[in-house]
């Protein structure tokens, strides 16, 4: 069995995702419990700034692959390099943020190394030398505690916003530069372009999410939802009923077949709170439901319930917040 805890840094164009800094905090905690070291993997192109940022958090080792073939996340070169590095160093634990790219890479490693991934964990600890993780199951109704006794390596993806961000540290990390293992001509996937989504804040990273459901009644019904979101600096979410009706794009869907969010504040407007919707938002710190029906299931989950017509309540609420923020 190898030793050491690895963390994969997910970033876009050199901007590290918050979930990556959370993953480093987990790695440091686990490594200190196992009395082993933390190694951070940074793949990309022109990564100097990102590596400097990582170095403020980690004083052990940073493995860097800085190459034009690694500019965009593509599973072939990223996966091939991560698998080769694993074979060279054999770490005990590999942590990845459960972001889209982190999930891709964990799945690749699972197949390549022939081990299971423990996905979307919300807690990781060491008990008597054995890794214990917690992950939501059955659409978030239960938390499974899993012991990873005989798994080598232990590939664990971490739910964004379930862990604190790592604090800065003293010390100089050793930087190991490595070459990519694939050349551009071997890589079948070519990234041509990126198109910006029509929202400013990523749902998954948002501190506040304001969501609308079938109760908004149509595409225009999202206007008061968006206005509240804009005053709060929040991201706009939606139930599947609203998405399936074509009122808002799928990117906004929260739930079992949409995004999983865990913001500090989740405001559900005209959403009944079906189990599949709850699967994507029930770990939110504070949940507010605005619904005409006091019997709607969301009311049982909500910390604060407002029994009202959203079209009456939202304009007054938004105006009140606006005037308070302006003071
Ligand atoms: C396999 C599977 C996967 C699924 N995945 C997802 C998923 O990822 N995400 C998801 O959301 N759903 C998902 N669903 C669908 C889910 O079961 C529900 O059908 C859906 O969440 C309902 O959306 P809703 O709450 O907006 O609509 P409804 O259940 O119709 O609720 C609308 C609510 O709005 C209230 N309301 C109406 N008018 C007003 C008003 N003017 N003011 C205030 N309140 C009002 C009503 O009282 C009601 O509670 C999935 C279903 C299946 C089978």
């Amino acid at each position: 069995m190898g030793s050491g805890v690895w963390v994969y840094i997910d970033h876009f164009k050199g901007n590290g995702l918050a979930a990556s800094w959370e993953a480093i905090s987990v790695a440091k905690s686990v490594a200190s419990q196992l009395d082993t070291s933390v190694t951070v993997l940074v793949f990309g192109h022109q990564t100097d700034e990102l590596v400097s940022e990582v170095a403020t958090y980690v004083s052990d080792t940073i493995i860097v692959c800085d190459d034009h073939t690694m500019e965009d996340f593509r599973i072939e070169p990223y996966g091939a390099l991560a698998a080769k590095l694993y074979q060279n160093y054999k770490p005990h634990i590999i942590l990845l943020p459960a972001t889209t790219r982190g999930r891709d890479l964990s799945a690749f490693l699972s197949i390549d190394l022939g081990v299971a991934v423990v996905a979307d964990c919300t807690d990781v600890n060491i008990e008597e030398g054995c890794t214990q993780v917690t992950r939501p199951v059955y659409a978030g109704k239960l938390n499974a505690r899993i012991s990873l006794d005989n798994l080598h390596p232990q590939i664990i993806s971490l739910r964004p916003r379930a862990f604190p961000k790592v604090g800065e540290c003293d010390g100089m990390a050793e930087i190991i530069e490595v070459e990519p293992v694939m050349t551009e001509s071997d890589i079948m996937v070519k990234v041509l372009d990126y198109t910006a989504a029509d929202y400013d804040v990523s749902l998954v990273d948002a501190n506040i999410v304001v969501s609308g459901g079938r109760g908004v009644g149509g595409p225009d019904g999202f206007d008061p939802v968006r206005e509240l979101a804009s005053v709060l600096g929040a991201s706009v979410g939606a139930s599947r009923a609203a998405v399936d009706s074509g009122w808002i794009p799928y990117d906004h869907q929260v739930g079992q077949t949409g995004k999983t969010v865990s913001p500090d504040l989740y405001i559900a407007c005209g959403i009944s709170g079906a189990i599949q919707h709850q699967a994507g938002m029930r770990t939110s710190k504070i949940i507010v439901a605005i619904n005409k029906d006091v019997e709607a299931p969301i009311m049982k989950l909500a910390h604060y319930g407002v029994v009202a017509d959203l079209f009456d309540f939202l304009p007054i609420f938004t105006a009140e917040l606006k005037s308070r923020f302006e003071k």
Side-chain angles (χ1 to χ4, degrees), residues 214 239-240 253-257 270 272 276-277 291-292 310:
R214 203 192 316 263
S239 72
R240 178 161 160 180
Q253 185 176 316
V254 172
Q256 189 179 319
T257 44
S272 62
Q276 296 89 353
H277 187 79
N291 199 302
K292 284 199 296 198
L310 67 94

Side-chain angles (χ1 to χ4, degrees), residues 211-249:
S211 287
R214 203 192 316 263
V216 307
D220 296 343
F222 268 94
D223 290 349
V225 173
R226 286 199 187 89
E227 276 158 35
L228 175 59
S230 145
V231 168
L232 291 172
S235 197
V236 174
S239 72
R240 178 161 160 180
V243 171
D244 284 353
S245 303
W247 301 343
I248 186 162

Side-chain angles (χ1 to χ4, degrees), residues 16-138:
L17 268 61
S20 298
W21 313 138
E22 294 159 14
I24 295 181
S25 85
V26 178
K28 287 173 86 168
S29 154
V30 167
S32 82
Q33 292 175 69
L34 287 170
D35 198 17
T36 186
S37 60
V38 174
T39 296
V40 180
L41 303 183
V42 179
F43 301 166
H45 186 39
Q46 297 176 334
T47 55
D48 289 355
E49 273 185 33
L50 180 60
V51 172
S52 304
E53 190 172 3
V54 170
T56 61
Y57 302 130
V58 181
S59 55
D60 295 346
T61 308
I62 307 173
I63 297 181
V64 181
C65 179
D66 187 332
D67 189 83
H68 70 279
T69 57
M70 305 298 267
E71 178 162 2
D72 298 294
F73 177 90
R74 290 179 290 176
I75 195 60
E76 300 158 277
Y78 272 58
L81 178 61
K84 179 168 177 240
L85 290 171
Y86 169 76
Q87 297 301 351
N88 290 351
Y89 293 90
K90 298 269 167 61
H92 178 41
I93 297 177
I94 304 175
L95 299 173
L96 308 97
T99 53
T100 312
R101 292 178 287 257
R103 287 176 200 209
D104 253 9
L105 189 57
S106 61
F108 182 100
L109 286 174
S110 168
I111 300 294
D112 199 89
L113 307 181
V115 289
V117 174
V118 191
D120 205 24
C121 297
T122 53
D123 193 32
V124 184
N125 261 304
I126 305 297
E127 285 173 25
E128 293 175 6
C130 176
T131 313
Q132 310 275 343
V133 301
T134 304
R135 61 183 298 265
V137 291
Y138 295 109

Side-chain angles (χ1 to χ4, degrees), residues 125-194:
N125 261 304
I126 305 297
E127 285 173 25
E128 293 175 6
C130 176
T131 313
Q132 310 275 343
V133 301
T134 304
R135 61 183 298 265
V137 291
Y138 295 109
K141 277 275 187 193
L142 294 175
N143 284 327
R145 283 195 68 222
I146 302 168
S147 174
L148 310 186
D149 210 1
N150 288 315
L151 199 60
H152 307 296
Q154 298 171 353
I155 305 176
I156 301 169
S157 72
L158 305 168
R159 179 175 287 200
R161 296 184 57 83
F163 300 92
K165 184 186 165 182
V166 63
E168 294 188 5
C169 68
D170 297 327
M172 288 271 286
E174 179 195 7
I175 295 183
I176 300 175
E177 292 182 6
V178 295
E179 295 295 320
V181 293
M182 293 183 79
T183 61
E184 188 57 46
S185 57
D186 293 332
I187 304 169
M188 292 171 72
V189 173
K190 309 291 174 196
V191 177
L192 303 179
D193 201 3
Y194 291 97

